[in-house]
Amino acid sequence: MRYLLLLVVAAALAFGACGGGKSDAEKSSDALNQGLQAHLAGKLDQAVTDYRQALTLDPQNKFAYFNLGLVYETQNHLDQAENNYRLSLGIDPDYEPPLFNLAIVRTALGDPQQAIQLYKHVTSLEPNNAGAHLNLGLLLRDSGDTARANTELQLAVQLDPTLQSRINSLPTASPTTGTPSPTATP
C-alpha cells in the first residue's frame, strides 16, 4: 500500500512537471487569494501586485478588479477605484459589491444622481440590502425627494433596526460609507 501511494505521488509530480500543472484560471485564483491575504494584513502594495497578477492570468476576473478598486478607495484614489469598479462591472453588470462601492465613490465625487441610480440597481438585485436602502434614502432626502426618501429609510430600518439610531444621529443626510471589505467569493 505504501509503495502504491508513493507511485501515485511520483506520477502526480511527473505529470505536473510535464505541463499538467495548474491552469491560468487556477493560478489567477491563487494570485487573487494571495492578494486577499495581503489586503487583509494591510500590505496594500503587495495586494495590488497580486491582484494585477491575477488579472494578467485571467483578464476577466471581476473579483480582482473589485479588490483593486477597494485598495484604491481605501487610499482615497477615487478615480482609480472607480475605474476598477467599472472594469469589474464590465464583466458582470449585476455584481453587487462594485455597484455599491461605485455609488459611494460617485457620491464622494459629487455625483449623487448617478449614486442614486447605482443604489437603485443594487436594491433591485438585492432587495434586502439595508445599507443600500439607507444610502439611497439619505441621498433622496438630500435631493428633496422626501416621500421616496422616507420609504427607503423605513425599509432600511425594517431590514436592520439598528440603523434607526444612525438615521436619528445624522443632522444632515450624508450617505454612510462604512469600510468595505475585500471579497473574492465567486
Side-chain angles (χ1 to χ4, degrees), residues 29-175:
S29 179
D30 288 347
L32 179 66
N33 287 328
Q34 289 171 348
L36 283 170
Q37 293 304 313
H39 196 156
L40 292 170
K43 299 175 183 176
L44 299 182
D45 290 340
Q46 182 61 50
V48 167
T49 298
D50 292 335
Y51 295 147
R52 286 185 179 154
Q53 178 64 28
L55 288 166
T56 298
L57 295 162
D58 179 8
Q60 295 298 304
N61 191 324
K62 68 183 181 183
F63 308 108
Y65 282 120
F66 170 68
N67 289 336
L68 274 172
L70 281 176
V71 170
Y72 292 128
E73 185 177 355
T74 300
Q75 297 173 328
N76 206 34
H77 299 297
L78 299 183
D79 290 337
Q80 289 176 296
E82 179 175 2
N83 183 54
N84 281 282
Y85 292 148
R86 289 192 186 280
L87 289 167
S88 180
L89 292 168
I91 297 164
D92 181 356
D94 293 332
Y95 182 33
E96 288 177 62
L99 283 168
F100 188 93
N101 284 43
L102 182 57
I104 292 169
V105 167
R106 293 310 308 157
T107 301
L109 292 174
D111 189 357
Q113 291 307 310
Q114 186 176 32
I116 287 170
Q117 294 309 311
L118 291 161
Y119 285 128
K120 285 180 179 179
H121 192 163
V122 171
T123 60
S124 74
L125 296 169
E126 182 52 54
N128 294 326
N129 188 323
H133 286 289
L134 173 68
N135 289 353
L136 176 56
L138 294 174
L139 286 171
L140 289 169
R141 189 167 78 179
D142 277 349
S143 73
D145 192 344
T146 307
R148 284 185 25 207
N150 287 338
T151 299
E152 290 297 328
L153 294 172
Q154 288 172 357
L155 183 53
V157 171
Q158 286 174 357
L159 294 168
D160 183 355
T162 65
L163 295 177
Q164 185 65 57
S165 63
R166 290 178 70 185
I167 294 168
N168 292 342
S169 70
L170 294 173
T172 60
S174 54

